[in-house]
Amino acid sequence: MTFVDWISAPVNWVFTIIGLVVIFSGFRVVTSRNIVHAALYLVGALGGTAGLFLMLSAEFVAWVLVLVYIGAVIVLFLFGIMITRAPTGLDESLNSDHTALPALLASGFFLMMSWASIDAFGTQVIDSTGEPVPTEIIGESLFGRFVIPFEVVSFVLLAALIGGITLARRDLSPAEEEERSAV
Amino acid sequence: MLLSQFLVLAAALFAFGIYGLLVRRNIVLILLSVELMLNAVNINLIAFESIWVSPEAIGQIFAIFVITVAAAEVGIGLAIVLMIFRNRKSANVDDLNLMRW
Protein backbone atom coordinates (compact mmCIF):
# COMPACT_ATOMS: atom_id res chain seq x y z
CA MET A 1 0.00 0.00 0.00
CA THR A 2 1.50 3.31 -1.05
CA PHE A 3 1.08 6.55 0.81
CA VAL A 4 -1.27 7.88 -1.90
CA ASP A 5 -3.57 4.89 -1.41
CA TRP A 6 -3.45 5.43 2.33
CA ILE A 7 -4.24 9.13 2.29
CA SER A 8 -7.04 8.80 -0.29
CA ALA A 9 -9.29 7.05 2.23
CA PRO A 10 -11.36 9.65 4.13
CA VAL A 11 -11.09 7.69 7.37
CA ASN A 12 -7.34 8.29 7.28
CA TRP A 13 -7.86 12.07 7.00
CA VAL A 14 -9.86 11.85 10.21
CA PHE A 15 -7.08 9.79 11.77
CA THR A 16 -4.44 12.33 10.68
CA ILE A 17 -6.34 15.26 12.16
CA ILE A 18 -7.09 13.49 15.46
CA GLY A 19 -3.56 12.12 15.60
CA LEU A 20 -2.03 15.59 15.21
CA VAL A 21 -4.28 16.92 17.98
CA VAL A 22 -3.31 14.04 20.28
CA ILE A 23 0.43 14.38 19.56
CA PHE A 24 0.42 18.16 20.02
CA SER A 25 -1.60 17.97 23.27
CA GLY A 26 0.55 15.14 24.60
CA PHE A 27 3.69 17.14 23.82
CA ARG A 28 2.33 20.23 25.56
CA VAL A 29 1.29 18.17 28.63
CA VAL A 30 4.94 17.41 29.34
CA THR A 31 6.50 20.68 28.16
CA SER A 32 4.03 23.41 29.16
CA ARG A 33 5.45 25.91 31.64
CA ASN A 34 2.01 26.60 33.07
CA ILE A 35 0.71 23.88 35.37
CA VAL A 36 -3.00 24.53 34.71
CA HIS A 37 -2.42 24.54 30.95
CA ALA A 38 -0.66 21.17 31.23
CA ALA A 39 -3.75 19.70 32.92
CA LEU A 40 -6.04 21.22 30.28
CA TYR A 41 -3.89 19.92 27.41
CA LEU A 42 -4.45 16.46 28.87
CA VAL A 43 -8.14 17.01 28.07
CA GLY A 44 -7.16 17.46 24.41
CA ALA A 45 -5.08 14.29 24.41
CA LEU A 46 -7.84 12.27 26.08
CA GLY A 47 -10.60 13.71 23.89
CA GLY A 48 -8.58 12.80 20.80
CA THR A 49 -8.13 9.30 22.18
CA ALA A 50 -11.89 9.01 22.64
CA GLY A 51 -12.24 9.98 18.96
CA LEU A 52 -9.80 7.21 18.00
CA PHE A 53 -11.87 4.74 20.05
CA LEU A 54 -14.98 5.80 18.12
CA MET A 55 -13.09 5.15 14.86
CA LEU A 56 -12.14 1.69 16.16
CA SER A 57 -15.82 0.92 16.89
CA ALA A 58 -15.33 0.96 20.67
CA GLU A 59 -18.17 3.33 21.40
CA PHE A 60 -18.79 2.36 25.02
CA VAL A 61 -15.12 2.67 26.04
CA ALA A 62 -14.94 6.07 24.31
CA TRP A 63 -17.77 7.47 26.41
CA VAL A 64 -16.41 5.83 29.57
CA LEU A 65 -13.13 7.61 28.83
CA VAL A 66 -14.89 10.95 28.38
CA LEU A 67 -16.95 10.55 31.57
CA VAL A 68 -14.29 9.13 33.87
CA TYR A 69 -11.20 10.98 32.64
CA ILE A 70 -12.40 14.31 31.34
CA GLY A 71 -15.34 14.48 33.75
CA ALA A 72 -13.72 13.29 36.97
CA VAL A 73 -9.95 12.79 36.81
CA ILE A 74 -9.12 16.19 35.28
CA VAL A 75 -11.31 17.92 37.86
CA LEU A 76 -9.48 15.98 40.58
CA PHE A 77 -6.15 17.09 39.10
CA LEU A 78 -7.24 20.72 39.04
CA PHE A 79 -8.29 20.39 42.70
CA GLY A 80 -4.88 18.89 43.45
CA ILE A 81 -3.14 21.79 41.72
CA MET A 82 -5.20 24.36 43.63
CA ILE A 83 -4.84 22.64 47.03
CA THR A 84 -1.06 22.26 46.78
CA ARG A 85 -0.91 25.97 45.93
CA ALA A 86 1.15 25.34 42.85
CA PRO A 87 2.18 28.50 41.02
CA THR A 88 -0.60 28.85 38.44
CA GLY A 89 1.25 31.39 36.31
CA LEU A 90 4.31 30.81 34.17
CA ASP A 91 6.93 28.90 36.10
CA GLU A 92 10.33 28.24 34.57
CA SER A 93 11.32 25.76 37.28
CA LEU A 94 8.51 23.31 36.46
CA ASN A 95 10.89 21.12 34.45
CA SER A 96 14.21 19.80 35.59
CA ASP A 97 17.27 21.22 33.85
CA HIS A 98 18.53 17.80 32.82
CA THR A 99 16.32 17.16 29.80
CA ALA A 100 18.83 15.63 27.38
CA LEU A 101 18.96 12.13 28.83
CA PRO A 102 15.16 11.77 29.34
CA ALA A 103 14.59 13.04 25.79
CA LEU A 104 17.10 10.54 24.46
CA LEU A 105 15.45 7.73 26.44
CA ALA A 106 11.92 8.67 25.32
CA SER A 107 12.83 9.05 21.65
CA GLY A 108 14.80 5.81 21.78
CA PHE A 109 11.76 4.07 23.20
CA PHE A 110 9.54 5.62 20.54
CA LEU A 111 11.83 4.57 17.69
CA MET A 112 12.16 1.05 19.06
CA MET A 113 8.41 0.59 19.58
CA SER A 114 7.40 2.05 16.23
CA TRP A 115 10.02 0.01 14.42
CA ALA A 116 8.78 -3.12 16.19
CA SER A 117 5.10 -2.45 15.41
CA ILE A 118 5.73 -1.55 11.77
CA ASP A 119 7.97 -4.60 11.39
CA ALA A 120 5.37 -6.91 12.94
CA PHE A 121 2.07 -5.45 11.64
CA GLY A 122 3.31 -3.34 8.71
CA THR A 123 0.50 -3.77 6.22
CA GLN A 124 -2.18 -5.36 8.38
CA VAL A 125 -5.42 -3.54 7.61
CA ILE A 126 -8.22 -2.95 10.10
CA ASP A 127 -11.31 -3.70 8.02
CA SER A 128 -13.66 -2.12 10.49
CA THR A 129 -17.16 -1.43 9.22
CA GLY A 130 -17.51 1.42 11.69
CA GLU A 131 -20.37 -0.39 13.41
CA PRO A 132 -19.91 0.06 17.16
CA VAL A 133 -19.62 -3.08 19.26
CA PRO A 134 -23.02 -3.36 21.00
CA THR A 135 -22.86 -2.43 24.68
CA GLU A 136 -24.92 -5.56 25.31
CA ILE A 137 -21.89 -7.72 24.44
CA ILE A 138 -19.66 -5.76 26.81
CA GLY A 139 -22.22 -6.00 29.59
CA GLU A 140 -22.72 -9.74 29.17
CA SER A 141 -18.97 -10.29 29.07
CA LEU A 142 -18.38 -8.08 32.12
CA PHE A 143 -20.98 -9.88 34.21
CA GLY A 144 -20.34 -13.31 32.73
CA ARG A 145 -16.79 -14.35 32.11
CA PHE A 146 -15.19 -11.35 33.83
CA VAL A 147 -17.41 -11.15 36.89
CA ILE A 148 -14.64 -11.99 39.37
CA PRO A 149 -12.22 -9.37 38.02
CA PHE A 150 -15.16 -6.97 38.10
CA GLU A 151 -15.72 -7.67 41.80
CA VAL A 152 -11.99 -7.35 42.49
CA VAL A 153 -11.94 -3.96 40.77
CA SER A 154 -14.92 -2.85 42.83
CA PHE A 155 -12.97 -3.85 45.94
CA VAL A 156 -9.97 -1.84 44.68
CA LEU A 157 -12.23 1.19 44.28
CA LEU A 158 -13.62 0.73 47.81
CA ALA A 159 -10.10 0.43 49.21
CA ALA A 160 -9.06 3.55 47.28
CA LEU A 161 -12.08 5.42 48.67
CA ILE A 162 -11.32 4.49 52.27
CA GLY A 163 -7.58 5.00 51.78
CA GLY A 164 -8.12 8.42 50.25
CA ILE A 165 -10.26 9.54 53.16
CA THR A 166 -7.83 8.19 55.78
CA LEU A 167 -4.81 9.73 54.09
CA ALA A 168 -6.28 13.13 53.38
CA ARG A 169 -8.11 13.83 56.64
CA ARG A 170 -6.22 15.86 59.16
CA ASP A 171 -5.83 14.52 62.67
CA LEU A 172 -6.94 17.10 65.20
CA SER A 173 -4.49 18.28 67.81
CA PRO A 174 -5.54 17.59 71.45
CA ALA A 175 -6.47 21.25 71.92
CA GLU A 176 -8.71 21.26 68.87
CA GLU A 177 -10.26 17.97 69.97
CA GLU A 178 -11.16 19.47 73.35
CA GLU A 179 -12.57 22.57 71.70
CA ARG A 180 -14.76 20.48 69.44
CA SER A 181 -16.11 18.27 72.22
CA ALA A 182 -16.88 21.33 74.34
CA VAL A 183 -19.29 22.69 71.72
CA MET B 1 -6.78 2.00 8.29
CA LEU B 2 -3.57 0.22 9.15
CA LEU B 3 -3.05 -1.34 12.55
CA SER B 4 0.47 0.07 12.84
CA GLN B 5 -0.64 3.71 12.56
CA PHE B 6 -2.50 3.35 15.87
CA LEU B 7 0.42 1.52 17.46
CA VAL B 8 2.89 4.24 16.42
CA LEU B 9 0.60 6.95 17.82
CA ALA B 10 0.32 5.05 21.10
CA ALA B 11 4.11 4.65 21.21
CA ALA B 12 4.49 8.42 20.76
CA LEU B 13 2.08 9.12 23.65
CA PHE B 14 3.90 6.61 25.85
CA ALA B 15 7.24 8.24 24.99
CA PHE B 16 5.86 11.65 26.01
CA GLY B 17 4.73 10.05 29.26
CA ILE B 18 8.24 8.70 29.94
CA TYR B 19 9.75 12.11 29.20
CA GLY B 20 7.30 13.88 31.51
CA LEU B 21 7.82 11.34 34.27
CA LEU B 22 11.58 11.96 34.24
CA VAL B 23 11.62 15.72 33.63
CA ARG B 24 8.73 17.17 35.64
CA ARG B 25 9.40 18.43 39.16
CA ASN B 26 5.86 18.81 40.49
CA ILE B 27 4.25 15.60 41.78
CA VAL B 28 0.85 16.44 40.27
CA LEU B 29 2.46 16.79 36.84
CA ILE B 30 4.24 13.45 37.28
CA LEU B 31 0.85 11.83 37.93
CA LEU B 32 -0.41 13.56 34.78
CA SER B 33 2.38 11.90 32.77
CA VAL B 34 1.42 8.51 34.21
CA GLU B 35 -2.13 9.08 32.95
CA LEU B 36 -0.72 9.76 29.48
CA MET B 37 1.11 6.42 29.54
CA LEU B 38 -1.97 4.48 30.73
CA ASN B 39 -3.93 6.09 27.92
CA ALA B 40 -1.38 4.93 25.34
CA VAL B 41 -1.85 1.36 26.59
CA ASN B 42 -5.62 1.71 26.16
CA ILE B 43 -5.17 2.74 22.51
CA ASN B 44 -3.14 -0.43 21.94
CA LEU B 45 -5.77 -2.63 23.60
CA ILE B 46 -8.62 -1.17 21.53
CA ALA B 47 -6.63 -1.33 18.27
CA PHE B 48 -5.76 -5.00 18.78
CA GLU B 49 -9.36 -5.74 19.75
CA SER B 50 -10.60 -4.27 16.48
CA ILE B 51 -8.29 -6.46 14.41
CA TRP B 52 -8.70 -9.75 16.27
CA VAL B 53 -12.37 -9.39 17.02
CA SER B 54 -13.32 -11.57 19.98
CA PRO B 55 -16.96 -12.50 20.64
CA GLU B 56 -16.67 -11.24 24.21
CA ALA B 57 -14.95 -7.92 23.36
CA ILE B 58 -12.07 -8.81 25.69
CA GLY B 59 -9.82 -5.93 24.62
CA GLN B 60 -12.50 -3.38 25.48
CA ILE B 61 -13.14 -5.03 28.86
CA PHE B 62 -9.42 -4.77 29.65
CA ALA B 63 -9.42 -1.10 28.64
CA ILE B 64 -12.33 -0.48 31.04
CA PHE B 65 -10.39 -2.18 33.85
CA VAL B 66 -7.32 -0.04 33.09
CA ILE B 67 -9.47 3.12 33.23
CA THR B 68 -10.95 2.04 36.59
CA VAL B 69 -7.59 1.29 38.15
CA ALA B 70 -6.22 4.60 36.81
CA ALA B 71 -9.08 6.47 38.50
CA ALA B 72 -8.33 4.74 41.82
CA GLU B 73 -4.63 5.50 41.37
CA VAL B 74 -5.30 9.21 40.87
CA GLY B 75 -7.46 9.36 43.99
CA ILE B 76 -4.84 7.72 46.20
CA GLY B 77 -1.99 9.58 44.50
CA LEU B 78 -3.53 12.98 45.12
CA ALA B 79 -4.30 12.07 48.74
CA ILE B 80 -0.59 11.21 49.21
CA VAL B 81 0.43 14.46 47.49
CA LEU B 82 -1.86 16.32 49.91
CA MET B 83 -0.20 14.59 52.89
CA ILE B 84 3.27 15.44 51.59
CA PHE B 85 2.24 19.04 50.98
CA ARG B 86 0.87 19.31 54.51
CA ASN B 87 4.07 17.96 56.06
CA ARG B 88 6.72 19.53 53.81
CA LYS B 89 4.89 22.66 52.52
CA SER B 90 5.89 21.72 48.99
CA ALA B 91 4.72 19.47 46.16
CA ASN B 92 8.14 19.47 44.53
CA VAL B 93 10.02 16.17 44.24
CA ASP B 94 13.37 17.93 44.66
CA ASP B 95 12.35 18.89 48.20
CA LEU B 96 11.55 15.32 49.24
CA ASN B 97 15.04 14.36 50.40
CA LEU B 98 14.17 12.64 53.69
CA MET B 99 15.02 9.15 52.44
CA ARG B 100 18.02 10.20 50.35
CA TRP B 101 21.61 9.89 51.39
Side-chain angles (χ1 to χ4, degrees):
Chain A
M1 185 191 275
T2 62
F3 180 72
V4 178
D5 288 339
W6 185 81
I7 203 71
S8 60
V11 72
N12 288 331
W13 308 347
V14 179
F15 174 83
T16 311
I17 293 167
I18 295 178
L20 287 177
V21 169
V22 169
I23 294 287
F24 175 73
S25 311
F27 181 71
R28 294 295 293 159
V29 168
V30 293
T31 55
S32 174
R33 296 285 179 192
N34 186 322
I35 188 164
V36 180
H37 287 185
L40 292 179
Y41 274 116
L42 189 66
V43 174
L46 295 168
T49 311
L52 291 180
F53 287 0
L54 286 178
M55 284 175 68
L56 291 166
S57 69
E59 203 180 32
F60 181 70
V61 187
W63 297 125
V64 165
L65 193 82
V66 170
L67 284 175
V68 174
Y69 266 102
I70 301 176
V73 169
I74 296 290
V75 174
L76 211 58
F77 269 121
L78 290 175
F79 267 109
I81 290 169
M82 303 299 167
I83 286 174
T84 55
R85 279 184 233 139
T88 43
L90 275 181
D91 184 6
E92 292 303 323
S93 68
L94 223 47
N95 276 6
S96 156
D97 298 327
H98 311 285
T99 56
L101 202 59
L104 191 73
L105 193 71
S107 48
F109 173 84
F110 170 68
L111 290 176
M112 187 190 75
M113 279 305 285
S114 40
W115 175 78
S117 23
I118 290 170
D119 188 53
F121 308 105
T123 54
Q124 198 151 2
V125 177
I126 300 176
D127 45 351
S128 165
T129 51
E131 275 298 296
V133 173
T135 311
E136 191 188 345
I137 289 180
I138 295 173
E140 273 173 4
S141 175
L142 204 56
F143 289 100
R145 181 171 170 188
F146 290 99
V147 69
I148 292 174
F150 180 80
E151 290 299 329
V152 171
V153 157
S154 76
F155 191 75
V156 167
L157 280 178
L158 179 70
L161 183 71
I162 297 172
I165 293 170
T166 346
L167 282 174
R169 71 187 277 266
R170 187 168 45 176
D171 289 324
L172 297 175
S173 65
E176 281 174 318
E177 196 109 35
E178 215 157 274
E179 197 175 298
R180 196 162 284 191
S181 60
V183 172
Chain B
M1 287 190 291
L2 294 173
L3 175 60
S4 44
Q5 70 196 42
F6 290 95
L7 301 186
V8 170
L9 184 68
L13 268 189
F14 200 92
F16 286 140
I18 291 176
Y19 178 78
L21 199 67
L22 294 172
V23 159
R24 287 301 203 185
R25 276 201 176 122
N26 191 296
I27 305 180
V28 179
L29 286 174
I30 290 175
L31 281 174
L32 223 61
S33 308
V34 173
E35 294 304 312
L36 217 53
M37 290 160 78
L38 286 167
N39 201 45
V41 174
N42 279 344
I43 296 179
N44 268 10
L45 283 171
I46 299 289
F48 281 122
E49 163 66 29
S50 73
I51 200 155
W52 291 298
V53 181
S54 57
E56 290 170 306
I58 294 173
Q60 301 194 15
I61 302 281
F62 268 64
I64 292 171
F65 282 148
V66 170
I67 291 172
T68 321
V69 173
E73 173 248 318
V74 171
I76 290 291
L78 284 176
I80 293 173
V81 173
L82 204 62
M83 278 276 284
I84 292 170
F85 180 75
R86 224 176 254 153
N87 289 328
R88 313 279 304 194
K89 300 278 171 276
S90 163
N92 202 329
V93 280
D94 290 353
D95 297 337
L96 306 178
N97 50 7
L98 198 66
M99 291 173 83
R100 267 196 208 154
W101 54 279

